[in-house]
PDB file of all heavy atoms in Angstrom:
ATOM      1  N   THR A  29     -11.639   6.322   4.723  1.00 93.00           N
ATOM      2  CA  THR A  29     -12.534   7.418   4.558  1.00 93.00           C
ATOM      3  C   THR A  29     -13.792   6.997   3.826  1.00 93.00           C
ATOM      4  O   THR A  29     -13.778   6.065   3.009  1.00 93.00           O
ATOM      5  CB  THR A  29     -11.887   8.594   3.776  1.00 93.00           C
ATOM      6  OG1 THR A  29     -11.587   8.169   2.450  1.00 93.00           O
ATOM      7  CG2 THR A  29     -10.630   9.105   4.463  1.00 93.00           C
ATOM      8  N   GLY A  30     -14.873   7.689   4.123  1.00 90.00           N
ATOM      9  CA  GLY A  30     -16.129   7.507   3.381  1.00 90.00           C
ATOM     10  C   GLY A  30     -16.752   6.123   3.515  1.00 90.00           C
ATOM     11  O   GLY A  30     -17.381   5.682   2.557  1.00 90.00           O
ATOM     12  N   LEU A  31     -16.615   5.499   4.652  1.00 93.00           N
ATOM     13  CA  LEU A  31     -17.212   4.169   4.813  1.00 93.00           C
ATOM     14  C   LEU A  31     -18.732   4.307   4.870  1.00 93.00           C
ATOM     15  O   LEU A  31     -19.291   5.180   5.526  1.00 93.00           O
ATOM     16  CB  LEU A  31     -16.725   3.521   6.134  1.00 93.00           C
ATOM     17  CG  LEU A  31     -15.231   3.267   6.255  1.00 93.00           C
ATOM     18  CD1 LEU A  31     -14.944   2.729   7.680  1.00 93.00           C
ATOM     19  CD2 LEU A  31     -14.752   2.286   5.202  1.00 93.00           C
ATOM     20  N   ASN A  32     -19.405   3.313   4.208  1.00 93.00           N
ATOM     21  CA  ASN A  32     -20.869   3.314   4.341  1.00 93.00           C
ATOM     22  C   ASN A  32     -21.222   2.563   5.651  1.00 93.00           C
ATOM     23  O   ASN A  32     -20.328   1.965   6.278  1.00 93.00           O
ATOM     24  CB  ASN A  32     -21.556   2.714   3.105  1.00 93.00           C
ATOM     25  CG  ASN A  32     -21.209   1.256   2.899  1.00 93.00           C
ATOM     26  OD1 ASN A  32     -20.966   0.497   3.809  1.00 93.00           O
ATOM     27  ND2 ASN A  32     -21.163   0.877   1.612  1.00 93.00           N
ATOM     28  N   ASP A  33     -22.438   2.624   6.065  1.00 93.00           N
ATOM     29  CA  ASP A  33     -22.812   2.031   7.319  1.00 93.00           C
ATOM     30  C   ASP A  33     -22.598   0.542   7.409  1.00 93.00           C
ATOM     31  O   ASP A  33     -22.089   0.031   8.406  1.00 93.00           O
ATOM     32  CB  ASP A  33     -24.304   2.284   7.626  1.00 93.00           C
ATOM     33  CG  ASP A  33     -24.612   3.749   7.950  1.00 93.00           C
ATOM     34  OD1 ASP A  33     -23.676   4.475   8.368  1.00 93.00           O
ATOM     35  OD2 ASP A  33     -25.774   4.183   7.795  1.00 93.00           O
ATOM     36  N   ARG A  34     -22.865  -0.186   6.324  1.00 92.00           N
ATOM     37  CA  ARG A  34     -22.676  -1.638   6.284  1.00 92.00           C
ATOM     38  C   ARG A  34     -21.189  -1.989   6.449  1.00 92.00           C
ATOM     39  O   ARG A  34     -20.853  -2.863   7.237  1.00 92.00           O
ATOM     40  CB  ARG A  34     -23.194  -2.138   4.953  1.00 92.00           C
ATOM     41  CG  ARG A  34     -23.026  -3.632   4.824  1.00 92.00           C
ATOM     42  CD  ARG A  34     -23.476  -4.064   3.408  1.00 92.00           C
ATOM     43  NE  ARG A  34     -23.329  -5.468   3.294  1.00 92.00           N
ATOM     44  CZ  ARG A  34     -24.261  -6.303   2.807  1.00 92.00           C
ATOM     45  NH1 ARG A  34     -25.381  -5.826   2.393  1.00 92.00           N
ATOM     46  NH2 ARG A  34     -24.016  -7.563   2.691  1.00 92.00           N
ATOM     47  N   THR A  35     -20.325  -1.305   5.723  1.00 93.00           N
ATOM     48  CA  THR A  35     -18.902  -1.572   5.842  1.00 93.00           C
ATOM     49  C   THR A  35     -18.347  -1.204   7.189  1.00 93.00           C
ATOM     50  O   THR A  35     -17.589  -1.933   7.803  1.00 93.00           O
ATOM     51  CB  THR A  35     -18.139  -0.858   4.697  1.00 93.00           C
ATOM     52  OG1 THR A  35     -18.634  -1.280   3.428  1.00 93.00           O
ATOM     53  CG2 THR A  35     -16.648  -1.136   4.776  1.00 93.00           C
ATOM     54  N   ARG A  36     -18.817  -0.056   7.717  1.00 93.00           N
ATOM     55  CA  ARG A  36     -18.347   0.402   9.076  1.00 93.00           C
ATOM     56  C   ARG A  36     -18.748  -0.636  10.111  1.00 93.00           C
ATOM     57  O   ARG A  36     -17.941  -0.998  10.980  1.00 93.00           O
ATOM     58  CB  ARG A  36     -18.933   1.744   9.388  1.00 93.00           C
ATOM     59  CG  ARG A  36     -18.475   2.243  10.771  1.00 93.00           C
ATOM     60  CD  ARG A  36     -18.955   3.648  11.096  1.00 93.00           C
ATOM     61  NE  ARG A  36     -18.092   4.610  10.427  1.00 93.00           N
ATOM     62  CZ  ARG A  36     -18.462   5.325   9.363  1.00 93.00           C
ATOM     63  NH1 ARG A  36     -19.691   5.273   8.928  1.00 93.00           N
ATOM     64  NH2 ARG A  36     -17.619   6.166   8.783  1.00 93.00           N
ATOM     65  N   ARG A  37     -19.969  -1.136  10.055  1.00 93.00           N
ATOM     66  CA  ARG A  37     -20.428  -2.147  11.022  1.00 93.00           C
ATOM     67  C   ARG A  37     -19.567  -3.405  10.983  1.00 93.00           C
ATOM     68  O   ARG A  37     -19.175  -3.975  11.995  1.00 93.00           O
ATOM     69  CB  ARG A  37     -21.934  -2.501  10.863  1.00 93.00           C
ATOM     70  CG  ARG A  37     -22.856  -1.466  11.436  1.00 93.00           C
ATOM     71  CD  ARG A  37     -24.289  -2.002  11.466  1.00 93.00           C
ATOM     72  NE  ARG A  37     -24.756  -2.519  10.207  1.00 93.00           N
ATOM     73  CZ  ARG A  37     -25.332  -1.827   9.252  1.00 93.00           C
ATOM     74  NH1 ARG A  37     -25.502  -0.532   9.407  1.00 93.00           N
ATOM     75  NH2 ARG A  37     -25.709  -2.380   8.132  1.00 93.00           N
ATOM     76  N   LEU A  38     -19.261  -3.829   9.763  1.00 93.00           N
ATOM     77  CA  LEU A  38     -18.459  -5.039   9.612  1.00 93.00           C
ATOM     78  C   LEU A  38     -17.055  -4.834  10.123  1.00 93.00           C
ATOM     79  O   LEU A  38     -16.523  -5.688  10.851  1.00 93.00           O
ATOM     80  CB  LEU A  38     -18.424  -5.427   8.123  1.00 93.00           C
ATOM     81  CG  LEU A  38     -17.678  -6.760   7.825  1.00 93.00           C
ATOM     82  CD1 LEU A  38     -18.271  -7.895   8.568  1.00 93.00           C
ATOM     83  CD2 LEU A  38     -17.672  -7.009   6.338  1.00 93.00           C
ATOM     84  N   LEU A  39     -16.483  -3.673   9.881  1.00 94.00           N
ATOM     85  CA  LEU A  39     -15.112  -3.395  10.366  1.00 94.00           C
ATOM     86  C   LEU A  39     -15.133  -3.207  11.892  1.00 94.00           C
ATOM     87  O   LEU A  39     -14.164  -3.529  12.552  1.00 94.00           O
ATOM     88  CB  LEU A  39     -14.539  -2.155   9.694  1.00 94.00           C
ATOM     89  CG  LEU A  39     -14.213  -2.350   8.194  1.00 94.00           C
ATOM     90  CD1 LEU A  39     -13.841  -1.060   7.545  1.00 94.00           C
ATOM     91  CD2 LEU A  39     -13.149  -3.427   7.979  1.00 94.00           C
ATOM     92  N   GLU A  40     -16.235  -2.737  12.453  1.00 95.00           N
ATOM     93  CA  GLU A  40     -16.386  -2.659  13.900  1.00 95.00           C
ATOM     94  C   GLU A  40     -16.501  -4.057  14.493  1.00 95.00           C
ATOM     95  O   GLU A  40     -15.894  -4.343  15.519  1.00 95.00           O
ATOM     96  CB  GLU A  40     -17.582  -1.812  14.301  1.00 95.00           C
ATOM     97  CG  GLU A  40     -17.416  -0.331  14.088  1.00 95.00           C
ATOM     98  CD  GLU A  40     -18.687   0.468  14.249  1.00 95.00           C
ATOM     99  OE1 GLU A  40     -19.784  -0.117  14.238  1.00 95.00           O
ATOM    100  OE2 GLU A  40     -18.580   1.703  14.334  1.00 95.00           O
TER     101      GLU A  40
END
Side-chain angles (χ1 to χ4, degrees):
T29 63
L31 298 175
N32 65 32
D33 290 338
R34 180 184 180 133
T35 302
R36 181 175 281 109
R37 280 192 309 272
L38 184 58
L39 292 173
E40 287 170 345

